[in-house]
């Protein structure tokens, strides 16, 4: 991207990055555990509770880093 485009982006540097995990309940739970074991997330508290996603039969959680 050029400098002109970068200047147009309205991104706050105080915003935290997010990783969205969407899948079956078992897939989401497995991915949360995997992120914790691989130390991508230092604590399971950084994940939101597993909630139903807007897709049929899917659940989601968000890791806020």
């Amino acid at each position: 991207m050029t400098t002109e485009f970068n200047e147009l982006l309205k991104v706050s540097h105080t915003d935290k990055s997010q990783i969205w995990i969407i899948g079956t309940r078992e897939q989401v739970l497995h991915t949360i555990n995997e992120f914790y074991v691989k130390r991508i997330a230092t604590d399971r508290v950084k994940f939101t509770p597993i909630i139903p996603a807007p897709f049929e039969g899917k659940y989601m959680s968000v890791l806020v880093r």
Side-chain angles (χ1 to χ4, degrees):
M1 292 177 66
T2 66
T3 305
E4 297 162 0
F5 287 121
N6 287 335
E7 291 172 0
L8 293 174
L9 292 174
K10 305 257 190 258
V11 177
S12 172
H13 295 289
T14 59
D15 288 343
K16 295 182 179 182
S17 63
Q18 298 178 353
I19 299 173
W20 290 51
I21 304 167
I22 300 174
T24 65
R25 188 171 183 81
E26 292 78 23
Q27 290 171 329
V28 172
L29 187 57
H30 177 76
T31 304
I32 289 172
N33 290 333
E34 185 178 8
F35 280 13
Y36 179 71
V37 168
K38 291 183 178 180
R39 299 197 183 270
I40 295 171
T42 56
D43 194 355
R44 286 186 174 96
V45 174
K46 296 190 179 208
F47 291 94
T48 62
I50 297 174
I51 59 171
F55 313 108
E56 186 176 333
K58 300 292 182 180
Y59 292 85
M60 64 183 281
S61 180
V62 179
L63 167 62
V64 179
R65 299 185 72 183

